Amino acid sequence: MGATMKDIAKRTGLGLATISSYLNGGNVREKNRIKIEEAIRELHFEVNEVARGLKTNRTKTIGIVIPELNNIFFAEIITEAEDILRSHGYATMICDCRSDPEREKEAVDFLYHRRVDGLIVMPTGTSDPGFQKFLRAGKPVVMIDRKMRDVACDCILVDNEGAAEDAVKRLIQAGHAKIGMIAGPEDVYTARERQRGYQKAVQESGIVCDDSLIVRGNYTIAGGAAAMRRLREANPDMTAVFISNYEMTVGAIMEINDLGIRVPEELSVIGFDNIDFAKASVPRLSIVTQPTAKIAQEAAETLIIKLEGKDRIVDAEQQDVDGERTTVTVTLKTGFVEGRSVRVLNNKV
Amino acid sequence: MGATMKDIAKRTGLGLATISSYLNGGNVREKNRIKIEEAIRELHFEVNEVARGLKTNRTKTIGIVIPELNNIFFAEIITEAEDILRSHGYATMICDCRSDPEREKEAVDFLYHRRVDGLIVMPTGTSDPGFQKFLRAGKPVVMIDRKMRDVACDCILVDNEGAAEDAVKRLIQAGHAKIGMIAGPEDVYTARERQRGYQKAVQESGIVCDDSLIVRGNYTIAGGAAAMRRLREANPDMTAVFISNYEMTVGAIMEINDLGIRVPEELSVIGFDNIDFAKASVPRLSIVTQPTAKIAQEAAETLIIKLEGKDRIVDAEQQDVDGERTTVTVTLKTGFVEGRSVRVLNNKV
DNA sequence: ATGAAAGCGCTAACAA
DNA sequence: TTGTTAGCGCTTTCAT
């Protein structure tokens, strides 16, 4: 349908190589450059990336594998990453594996067949769903939000433990001694980290440390609401609660409203993610925020550097010899947005 | 790196065509089939889709263009569509244009260059960002959630007007006469439709129809909260409110809680989308639901049928002569999930 | 700086 | 059924 380089060559009377050179930023005589540009315009020529990909063995396409697309935190990262990659000429193929390791394997395999140049992933399962295959083929893999010990690749992490620890310490500093936590699923990496942060803060401060103060939700709105209720039932005298993801924060707040508990007079609350929700809450919620844009940016750039850097063409053998390539692990700091949901107990507000 | 068909041919002593035939479901002698399969296994052969795409001029890739990825309604549809398409062997390239017509154009152009086989889009702008180019090239475009008069393609819509009308009529039937609406931005197609539904219901019933009863939010949580406040201020005697998207529903509910308004005793509420939120609300919220999975399914299937159907190879000329191809417009019914947020005024509860 | 020609991995005539 | 061959549109030596 569309015009090809051949057409441009014919039209301009130049050789194929010259056109190719022009297209790839090579040196072309001024006179010819003009002719070529004219022909391109007239013939509506557009490079066929597919053919180019076949030849160069690079598709200029990045695969993205995530647990859930309909989760604001993930969606925000993806949106941003896609934007950056596209501005560098890379297309993205997104695969939502619905937190299912089986589907995750399929997705990775699918992307491998599609010959994507690299991968950005937020792993779901515990064992490698096929990332090694990419690495062995010299294709970069960047892991987000989570690390896997048996896959040596770049990682962009968030200091989840530190974030939780910091949040809980703020509560402690404000004079709270009986602090509940709505934790996430045990099999989720970040959930474990956040819980560890809570425990660290609690233990270091020597305040009440009771198992009944930690209730596990499943990262959903309903789960957060149920957890809040159980937490309150088991600990009527609890003065503060830390909720460890967005959906559960929404659920917990709804439950708090329903129980008629006043925030922060009767209960202090620190939530997670989503500043929009925090701002709309009354009183405005204090929350831990994750640097989604920064995560995406780091991930995309790490990938692009590996992709375009001079060490791009790496021998599969050589990597095996090395045992591991130079990989980077970036741990980003979380933020904290102060609201009015934490009551200061030990001195006047 | 990977083995090619040639390698398989050499290994088995067969010709290239036989291998190709096997790969594409052709008839191959049992004996050879086994040999081929063995060779494929041993050599870890995998079809190079890029090469195949070059030859067949089909990339087995679908482009998706949406206004916002971090919007649950869109994300749910995309997730589902991606899943279906992938199960049919199609990869999806998703472009988030952030509700910006300019970016939308870029995205469509980008996907065109990438030679995607078809498009699923939820248009943002008012003028064609380049869909015609696809249609002229014989590539199907399926529009979701919205129609554009100057682009003749398949459309999967939701009966927004009917949904709003139905919701408001439920309130009227329950005896409410002063019903507020939190409407969406004026330049959003679905927002206008929902507003029209409200107006229709109100007018037909001859109840109070005051401009101050419609307040426009911007489809965000904060916008919903602000709108709720204004609505209440302007109409202290309003007994019911209809909120026309999910984010604003969250915001409105928060504001209602903050103002200490009891639902449904003092105010009846009908929200939109997201059943999770509705369920976790206390009292459980009555909401209009959109059939996201069904939308995705219809869109994906419509596309696949066009793609694989016999009328696939359509002449550009012929289409122009026809003026328009056979296009389908499907309008899906919305659902309604009954909660406990609507008070019945005219008789006992 | 430019041209000629080979070939990336596959499909699809056409022959056998 | 199977093999031979000619491209798909591009990049990339290697000459010129």
Side-chain angles (χ1 to χ4, degrees):
Chain A
M1 205 123 290
T4 74
M5 276 175 48
K6 241 189 211 159
D7 298 322
I8 304 294
K10 223 166 268 171
R11 177 76 154 222
T12 57
L14 294 167
L16 265 180
T18 311
I19 315 296
S20 176
S21 171
Y22 166 83
L23 254 21
N24 294 293
N27 281 329
V28 175
R29 223 193 296 279
E30 181 70 5
K31 211 167 45 176
N32 291 329
R33 210 205 68 217
I34 295 173
K35 273 208 286 195
I36 294 175
E37 283 169 355
E38 203 176 278
I40 287 180
R41 219 173 316 112
E42 287 176 5
L43 271 50
H44 302 293
F45 168 79
E46 282 160 353
V47 181
N48 184 331
E49 295 287 350
V50 178
R52 184 181 268 176
L54 174 59
K55 187 65 195 178
T56 59
N57 207 22
R58 305 184 60 206
T59 53
K60 280 276 202 173
T61 301
I62 303 299
I64 296 189
V65 184
I66 50 166
E68 300 284 349
L69 196 53
N70 47 7
N71 168 305
I72 297 208
F73 172 66
F74 294 141
E76 263 175 14
I77 293 177
I78 300 307
T79 299
E80 191 68 23
E82 189 260 319
D83 201 50
I84 297 172
L85 290 170
R86 180 143 47 94
S87 77
H88 284 259
Y90 286 87
T92 49
M93 283 185 182
I94 300 174
C95 294
D96 177 342
C97 67
R98 283 129 190 252
S99 301
D100 175 358
E102 211 47 55
R103 276 167 175 271
E104 187 180 33
K105 261 197 197 66
E106 283 169 30
V108 172
D109 223 53
F110 180 82
L111 293 170
Y112 187 80
H113 285 144
R114 288 310 191 120
R115 305 292 208 265
V116 298
D117 294 339
L119 235 41
I120 292 182
V121 294
M122 311 192 197
T124 281
T126 51
S127 64
D128 174 24
F131 301 147
Q132 295 286 8
K133 236 164 108 175
F134 276 86
L135 294 172
R136 273 199 299 271
K139 298 187 174 184
V141 175
V142 175
M143 217 169 269
I144 280 184
D145 206 40
R146 165 161 181 194
K147 207 164 181 163
M148 283 178 80
R149 31 178 57 257
D150 52 336
V151 179
C153 65
D154 297 317
C155 294
I156 313 298
L157 306 175
V158 160
D159 182 11
N160 282 292
E161 185 177 331
E165 186 185 342
D166 172 66
V168 176
K169 281 198 170 154
R170 281 168 190 265
L171 292 170
I172 293 171
Q173 214 120 51
H176 295 273
K178 195 146 187 196
I179 303 170
M181 171 174 190
I182 299 186
E186 205 160 11
D187 58 334
V188 174
Y189 177 83
T190 55
R192 288 197 302 271
E193 291 217 304
R194 288 169 199 168
Q195 189 175 336
R196 199 178 306 134
Y198 165 90
Q199 281 161 332
K200 201 168 160 198
V202 165
Q203 276 154 17
E204 280 182 10
S205 314
I207 61 168
V208 187
C209 179
D210 186 336
D211 277 359
S212 76
L213 278 170
I214 298 182
V215 172
R216 218 175 283 293
N218 59 351
Y219 269 4
T220 67
I221 297 178
M228 186 68 226
R229 183 185 299 267
R230 276 191 287 143
L231 203 50
R232 178 75 173 183
E233 272 167 11
N235 303 277
D237 54 341
M238 164 184 80
T239 62
V241 61
F242 169 58
I243 308 150
S244 65
N245 95 325
Y246 168 62
E247 279 76 11
M248 295 196 301
T249 300
V250 175
I253 291 294
M254 297 176 73
E255 187 65 26
I256 287 171
N257 277 325
D258 176 45
L259 295 175
I261 302 170
R262 284 174 309 146
V263 175
E265 291 80 1
E266 297 173 65
L267 186 67
S268 292
V269 178
I270 291 183
F272 223 93
D273 279 338
N274 205 336
I275 202 161
D276 286 338
F277 180 77
K279 274 193 186 148
S281 291
V282 179
R284 284 189 316 148
L285 215 55
S286 290
I287 51 163
V288 171
T289 58
Q290 296 193 71
T292 49
K294 183 87 180 152
I295 294 171
Q297 196 181 317
E298 287 282 348
E301 279 169 8
T302 303
L303 205 59
I304 289 171
I305 286 172
K306 278 248 159 87
L307 245 23
E308 324 239 287
K310 55 186 173 304
D311 56 328
R312 190 169 61 70
I313 297 154
V314 193
D315 228 74
E317 314 314 320
Q318 199 194 324
Q319 280 172 55
D320 282 356
V321 171
D322 273 332
E324 58 195 288
R325 306 169 60 185
T326 10
T327 63
V328 183
T329 296
V330 178
T331 302
L332 299 171
K333 286 224 293 236
T334 54
F336 191 86
V337 175
E338 193 98 43
R340 305 193 153 277
S341 62
V342 176
R343 179 174 172 205
V344 179
L345 292 178
N346 41 4
N347 53 341
K348 286 191 295 274
V349 181
Chain B
M1 208 125 287
T4 73
M5 277 175 48
K6 240 188 210 158
D7 298 321
I8 304 294
K10 222 166 267 172
R11 178 77 154 223
T12 56
L14 295 167
L16 265 180
T18 312
I19 315 297
S20 176
S21 170
Y22 165 83
L23 255 21
N24 295 293
N27 280 329
V28 175
R29 224 193 294 279
E30 181 71 5
K31 213 168 44 178
N32 292 330
R33 211 205 68 218
I34 295 173
K35 273 208 286 193
I36 294 176
E37 283 170 356
E38 203 176 276
I40 287 180
R41 220 174 314 111
E42 287 176 5
L43 271 49
H44 302 292
F45 168 78
E46 282 160 351
V47 182
N48 185 330
E49 295 288 351
V50 178
R52 185 181 267 174
L54 175 60
K55 184 66 195 178
T56 60
N57 206 23
R58 304 184 60 205
T59 52
K60 280 273 200 177
T61 301
I62 302 298
I64 297 188
V65 183
I66 50 165
E68 302 282 348
L69 196 54
N70 46 7
N71 167 304
I72 297 207
F73 172 66
F74 294 141
E76 261 174 16
I77 293 177
I78 300 306
T79 299
E80 192 67 23
E82 188 261 320
D83 202 50
I84 297 172
L85 289 170
R86 180 141 48 93
S87 78
H88 284 260
Y90 287 86
T92 49
M93 282 185 183
I94 301 174
C95 294
D96 177 343
C97 67
R98 284 127 190 251
S99 302
D100 175 357
E102 212 46 56
R103 275 165 177 273
E104 187 180 33
K105 262 197 197 69
E106 282 169 30
V108 172
D109 222 53
F110 180 83
L111 293 170
Y112 187 80
H113 284 144
R114 288 310 192 122
R115 305 294 210 262
V116 297
D117 293 339
L119 235 40
I120 293 181
V121 294
M122 311 192 197
T124 282
T126 49
S127 63
D128 173 24
F131 300 147
Q132 296 285 9
K133 236 165 108 175
F134 276 85
L135 294 173
R136 274 198 299 270
K139 299 187 173 185
V141 175
V142 175
M143 217 169 270
I144 280 184
D145 205 42
R146 166 161 181 192
K147 208 164 180 165
M148 283 178 79
R149 33 178 57 256
D150 52 336
V151 179
C153 62
D154 297 317
C155 293
I156 313 297
L157 305 175
V158 161
D159 181 11
N160 282 291
E161 185 177 330
E165 186 184 343
D166 172 66
V168 176
K169 280 196 170 156
R170 281 168 190 264
L171 291 170
I172 293 170
Q173 214 121 50
H176 295 273
K178 194 146 185 195
I179 303 170
M181 170 175 191
I182 298 185
E186 204 160 12
D187 58 334
V188 174
Y189 178 81
T190 56
R192 287 197 302 271
E193 291 217 303
R194 288 171 199 167
Q195 188 175 335
R196 199 177 307 134
Y198 165 90
Q199 282 160 333
K200 200 168 161 198
V202 164
Q203 277 153 16
E204 280 181 10
S205 314
I207 62 169
V208 188
C209 179
D210 185 337
D211 277 358
S212 76
L213 278 170
I214 299 182
V215 173
R216 218 175 283 293
N218 58 352
Y219 269 3
T220 67
I221 297 178
M228 187 65 227
R229 181 183 302 267
R230 276 191 288 145
L231 203 50
R232 178 75 174 184
E233 272 168 11
N235 303 278
D237 54 341
M238 164 183 81
T239 62
V241 60
F242 169 58
I243 309 151
S244 65
N245 94 325
Y246 168 61
E247 280 76 12
M248 295 196 301
T249 301
V250 175
I253 291 295
M254 297 176 75
E255 187 67 25
I256 286 171
N257 278 325
D258 176 46
L259 295 175
I261 302 169
R262 283 174 310 146
V263 174
E265 291 80 2
E266 297 172 65
L267 186 66
S268 291
V269 178
I270 292 183
F272 223 93
D273 279 338
N274 205 336
I275 201 162
D276 286 338
F277 180 78
K279 274 193 186 149
S281 291
V282 179
R284 284 188 316 147
L285 214 56
S286 290
I287 50 164
V288 172
T289 57
Q290 296 193 72
T292 49
K294 184 86 180 152
I295 294 171
Q297 197 181 317
E298 287 282 348
E301 279 170 7
T302 304
L303 205 58
I304 289 172
I305 287 171
K306 277 250 160 88
L307 246 22
E308 324 238 289
K310 53 188 174 303
D311 56 330
R312 190 168 63 68
I313 296 155
V314 193
D315 226 72
E317 312 316 318
Q318 199 194 321
Q319 281 173 55
D320 281 357
V321 171
D322 273 330
E324 57 195 289
R325 306 169 59 186
T326 11
T327 63
V328 183
T329 295
V330 178
T331 302
L332 300 171
K333 285 224 293 240
T334 54
F336 190 86
V337 175
E338 192 98 43
R340 304 192 154 277
S341 61
V342 175
R343 180 175 172 204
V344 178
L345 292 178
N346 40 3
N347 54 342
K348 283 192 299 274
V349 181

